[in-house]
Amino acid sequence: MFESLSDKFSGVIGDLGKRGTLTEADVAEAMREVRLAMLEADVALPVVKDFVNKVKERSVGAEVLESISPGQAVAKIVNDALIDALGGAGAVPLNLNAAPPVPILMVGLQGSGKTTTSGKIALRLATRERKKVLLASLDTQRPAAQLQLQQLAERAKVASLPIVAGQTPVEIASRAMDTARREGYDVVILDTAGRLSIDEALMDEVRQIRDVTHPAETLLVVDAMTGQDAVNTAKLFNEAVGVSGVVMTRMDGDARGGAALSMRAITGAPIKLTGSGEKLDALEEFHPERVAGRILG
Ligand code: GDP
């Protein structure tokens, strides 16, 4: 992830950082290369334009160009602009501030990693925050989905809602919340059905589940490898059902990074967590400043 982008950024910005003097033309030339590198990495065009303009605006001016180490000053401006694009400094934590049982609604397209991520979040909350977690699959579309989540729950050593054949997703959601209330669970993770593409039936189903459970978090799971499609998916989900956070999976792959850099500006939703493998502990908080550091090398 970010490899090619990082090669180019660290080349161009690293060179600037070493130089003792800089002109406005030097900055413009560097930004031309940065612009190309970002477009190649599949960053959305408005995000690229905004980034380049911001860096140019902040860089040209006596304080920066005539400072003792202008190259380093520009490198710092680029670093800050990267952090902005990635969503601002600091990880955005999961919001569990509601009366228990706190519902977390997991949404996304089929194959994005939604079910695996539900298991990962369950494991994390159970082990790191000592929460009593109930996992429930509301996926009545794929026959194996409910079993898959049950097996993940066993691996994570958390409870899963017993499977009852013939219930609708909304009925399962209500049963999950009732069970959690009765049995004193802190968190209920509701894994909804995915589809191959976004359709009105999917959004309707999610809206109905949302309206009976009132989730504290609606987490959209997207695959980093799908680039701008991940961003478009997030935009559509956010408009249709409201998304409080994004989990970006397959950060362990060779995705070019455009989705991570475009997500916040295009959708408004913060990336809260990232997945970096198939194992249940391969889940990390998303720290924009660390990612910016990785990109700048
Ligand atoms: P769902 O259809 O959205 O529920 O997707 P699944 O959770 O079933 O995941 C689809 C496949 O992606 C499975 O083989 C997962 O093991 C794999 N997967 C999920 N998250 C990640 C990740 O962060 N990295 C990698 N490499 N594979 C992942």
Side-chain angles (χ1 to χ4, degrees):
M1 181 96 179
F2 298 120
E3 266 166 27
S4 159
L5 193 62
S6 173
D7 277 355
K8 296 195 173 116
F9 263 79
S10 53
V12 176
I13 308 303
D15 282 351
L16 280 189
K18 288 184 207 124
R19 291 171 57 171
T21 58
L22 277 187
T23 63
E24 224 176 293
D26 294 330
V27 175
E29 173 57 26
M31 285 309 110
R32 255 193 299 279
E33 292 184 42
V34 160
R35 184 175 189 279
L36 278 178
M38 290 177 93
L39 289 174
E40 266 172 38
D42 211 15
V43 180
L45 185 59
V47 177
V48 178
K49 282 187 174 161
D50 184 56
F51 181 92
V52 166
N53 287 340
K54 215 188 274 178
V55 173
K56 277 191 193 158
E57 262 167 39
R58 291 180 190 169
S59 299
V60 297
E63 315 86 80
V64 173
L65 294 182
E66 288 167 22
S67 66
I68 299 173
S69 45
Q72 281 176 24
V74 173
K76 164 94 173 56
I77 289 167
V78 169
N79 184 55
D80 290 348
L82 273 177
I83 293 172
D84 280 353
L86 290 160
V92 185
L94 285 185
N95 168 28
L96 302 178
N97 298 325
V102 179
I104 300 179
L105 188 58
M106 305 294 296
V107 300
L109 295 180
Q110 196 173 308
S112 59
K114 191 163 39 59
T115 302
T116 310
T117 303
S118 300
K120 289 178 177 181
I121 293 175
L123 176 69
R124 185 187 191 86
L125 294 178
T127 53
R128 297 202 189 186
E129 303 195 23
R130 305 253 163 260
K131 300 283 189 198
K132 188 176 171 189
V133 182
L134 179 66
L135 271 171
S137 170
L138 316 186
D139 188 349
T140 55
Q141 299 281 325
R142 269 196 314 134
Q146 299 193 41
L147 272 177
Q148 185 194 345
L149 192 70
Q150 198 172 52
Q151 285 159 1
L152 275 172
E154 280 164 21
R155 274 169 55 201
K157 297 195 172 58
V158 303
S160 61
L161 187 73
I163 298 171
V164 174
Q167 285 197 315
T168 65
V170 171
E171 286 166 348
I172 303 174
S174 299
R175 182 162 59 87
M177 295 311 294
D178 288 344
T179 304
R181 260 180 232 113
R182 206 172 49 240
E183 299 180 11
Y185 282 92
D186 299 312
V187 177
V188 185
I189 300 176
L190 303 158
D191 183 21
T192 61
R195 302 277 200 287
L196 289 176
S197 62
I198 292 178
D199 59 35
E200 208 29 53
L202 172 64
M203 293 306 179
D204 250 358
E205 186 175 297
V206 172
R207 274 192 289 262
Q208 285 176 32
I209 296 164
R210 181 195 65 193
D211 293 346
V212 297
T213 57
H214 307 292
E217 283 278 6
T218 300
L219 295 180
L220 173 74
V221 181
V222 294
D223 178 351
M225 300 292 286
T226 61
Q228 296 224 32
D229 279 348
V231 180
N232 294 335
T233 300
K235 194 162 181 277
L236 292 172
F237 263 95
N238 197 28
E239 284 162 5
V241 300
V243 167
S244 58
V246 173
V247 184
M248 196 168 278
T249 63
R250 297 207 179 83
M251 298 287 277
D252 49 317
D254 57 0
R256 288 171 288 174
L261 277 160
S262 314
M263 189 60 77
R264 187 61 183 263
I266 303 291
T267 71
I271 301 173
K272 293 197 167 182
L273 296 163
T274 56
S276 57
E278 302 202 33
K279 294 215 180 104
L280 282 184
D281 60 358
L283 182 75
E284 288 85 34
E285 282 178 340
F286 184 73
H287 291 274
E289 62 282 15
R290 288 186 205 160
V291 177
R294 247 173 77 194
I295 294 172
L296 283 174

